[in-house]
Amino acid sequence: MALRTLLAIMRMFWPDGCVGALEIDRKSPRFWNKCINEFLHYYTFDQRFATEAEERASILAHMRDNLRRTLADDRERADVKIAGASGTTYADHRPLYMKPGVWSKLAQYWVSEEFKKKSAAGKKARQAVKVPHTSGARSFDRRRRDYMEAHHGKLDELVVYKECHTLKDEERKGEWITEDAQKIIEERHQDTSPLAEVVVSSCCEVISIKEERAQHACSLSEIFKTVENSFLTCSEANTPQ
């Protein structure tokens, strides 16, 4: 709920004409603090785990990290609609939650040469990755949260890793994307050390798979990933209707 609230706040304050974090930094640098201040009107961290400065830094990092992927999700949904409605463009499929001034700029950007070049460069970089993933535009953190929502807050890193590195098509569903991806899991099963750690570099992202100690304290990043457990809602009077 908290993450959805934060996303709604970002969409509400999103400055017209900005298509990414760097452009927001240049044209509307106050956007980030404005979103954080609004979010903290409804939610706060448990002060036993984080200071105010730490909580603001964590929220900012989350917003910046997920901005690109959120836009990628919006574009993919629009692509599906365009494919089913011949002759239409991105401009014809604005989501109700997206401001017209923001969507019109995105619609222009997604068909621009600049975006096509960046997309081609990204595709080339992904092809060069030794252990590519099959997670699409969704981040590994997003996959973790989806898994936890479906399993009552429990997280199995190995299962999530496999979901992100196996094929999805009907003929090869469940097959590993590469032998290297499979070897990482095999090595993980062979390592019985209680502090064993496998670090996987995949498309400029790093997954850390650890066996937690019984008394392991939650880090700030873990607190945010399990936001429903670590956030304390403010009084009902402050809860958005």
Side-chain angles (χ1 to χ4, degrees):
M1 184 64 182
L3 296 180
R4 294 191 183 96
T5 300
L6 181 58
L7 180 57
I9 290 171
M10 291 175 65
R11 286 169 172 162
M12 179 175 65
F13 291 136
W14 201 306
D16 288 349
C18 293
V19 298
L22 294 180
E23 198 163 19
I24 290 176
D25 288 341
R26 292 194 303 269
K27 296 181 178 180
S28 186
R30 295 181 180 179
F31 164 79
W32 307 106
N33 277 332
K34 193 173 183 180
C35 290
I36 293 172
N37 291 338
E38 182 69 17
F39 180 73
L40 292 178
H41 180 67
Y42 304 113
Y43 295 91
T44 182
F45 272 103
D46 188 327
Q47 296 300 313
R48 294 172 299 174
F49 296 107
T51 65
E52 181 179 354
E54 289 173 331
E55 69 181 41
R56 296 181 73 90
S58 179
I59 297 170
L60 175 60
H62 173 82
M63 288 194 296
R64 296 187 69 93
D65 185 52
N66 285 274
L67 181 63
R68 178 179 60 82
R69 297 181 181 92
T70 296
L71 291 178
D73 286 345
D74 288 332
R75 181 170 56 83
E76 288 180 359
R77 284 190 285 267
D79 284 337
V80 172
K81 293 180 179 179
I82 291 172
S86 180
T88 61
T89 66
Y90 289 117
D92 300 313
H93 299 286
R94 178 180 68 86
L96 295 178
Y97 55 74
M98 189 70 76
K99 295 194 298 183
V102 174
W103 187 257
S104 62
K105 180 66 175 181
L106 288 170
Q108 296 172 22
Y109 176 66
W110 286 333
V111 296
S112 68
E113 288 301 318
E114 178 186 358
F115 176 78
K116 291 177 181 178
K117 288 180 180 179
K118 288 182 178 180
S119 180
K123 183 177 181 180
K124 184 177 180 180
R126 288 191 294 273
Q127 291 174 342
V129 173
K130 192 174 183 180
V131 185
H133 65 79
T134 57
S135 184
R138 291 176 180 267
S139 68
F140 295 125
D141 281 347
R142 178 75 172 273
R143 295 293 182 184
R144 289 188 185 99
R145 292 198 299 271
D146 290 345
Y147 182 91
M148 292 174 69
E149 288 180 3
H151 294 82
H152 309 289
K154 296 181 179 179
L155 175 62
D156 188 325
E157 290 277 12
L158 297 182
V159 172
V160 175
Y161 174 84
K162 186 173 182 179
E163 290 178 351
C164 293
H165 294 84
T166 51
L167 300 172
K168 306 296 189 290
D169 59 274
E170 290 296 331
E171 295 182 358
R172 300 179 297 168
K173 188 174 182 179
E175 293 183 15
W176 290 100
I177 185 69
T178 64
E179 291 183 1
D180 289 316
Q182 183 176 5
K183 287 179 181 178
I184 288 172
I185 289 297
E186 292 175 348
E187 291 172 359
R188 170 60 174 165
H189 283 303
Q190 293 172 2
D191 192 344
T192 58
S193 170
L195 296 179
E197 178 176 316
V198 178
V199 179
V200 183
S201 177
S202 180
C203 197
C204 300
E205 294 189 79
V206 175
I207 304 177
S208 294
I209 304 175
K210 299 181 179 179
E211 288 186 1
E212 295 184 346
R213 295 178 180 179
Q215 302 299 324
H216 179 63
C218 290
S219 67
L220 186 60
S221 61
E222 289 169 332
I223 291 172
F224 203 86
K225 291 173 188 174
T226 56
V227 67
E228 295 298 345
N229 294 325
S230 60
F231 271 111
L232 298 176
T233 56
C234 293
S235 63
E236 291 185 2
N238 286 334
T239 303
Q241 301 298 319

